[in-house]
Amino acid sequence: MTVKTILSAKGGDVISIEPTATLEIAVKTLAKHRIGALLVLGPDRRVIGILSERDIVRVLGEQGADVLAQPLAQVMTRNVVICGQTETVGTIMERMTAGKFRHVPVVEQDQVVGIISIGDVVKHRLQEMEKESAALRDYIQTA
Ligand code: AMP
């Protein structure tokens, strides 16, 4: 199963934010959309960072609530690990495990075409396992 299979089921909508927005706006955006990470896009819509709830919790713990008025660019992760649509879900799982993160943007020709979360990966892996076990049950019954 490829990344494209997941995107065709969930769509390519990605909630993004500008690097100059404050952390307070980022918190409100995460809450409004009930998501765990925001892609930070530059003026040309290229990925320049990612900001996850973990980054916000860490900086709040280190600096206190005043940091919410600061631009999120100071806090986001700049080295974003991405993937392409033709990559397998297994490869993305390995990438998430190795990097200890739960979100991977899907990029084609420098433009974002979607985002895969660990929830998407688990959901599709479970569906795959259910199909496999149903096929095995059928095979055993007809054997
Ligand atoms: P997450 O588990 O995705 O909420 O993020 C955990 C940490 O990894 C945070 O510091 C994020 O900014 C960072 N992070 C999340 N996704 C990525 C990614 N695709 N590439 C690099 N860092 C990421």
Side-chain angles (χ1 to χ4, degrees), residues 36 50 52 54-55 77 79-81 100-105:
I50 190 162
S52 121
R54 289 214 181 150
D55 299 315
T77 300
N79 270 340
V80 183
V81 175
K100 294 190 170 69
F101 45 70
R102 298 164 294 176
H103 302 87
V104 179

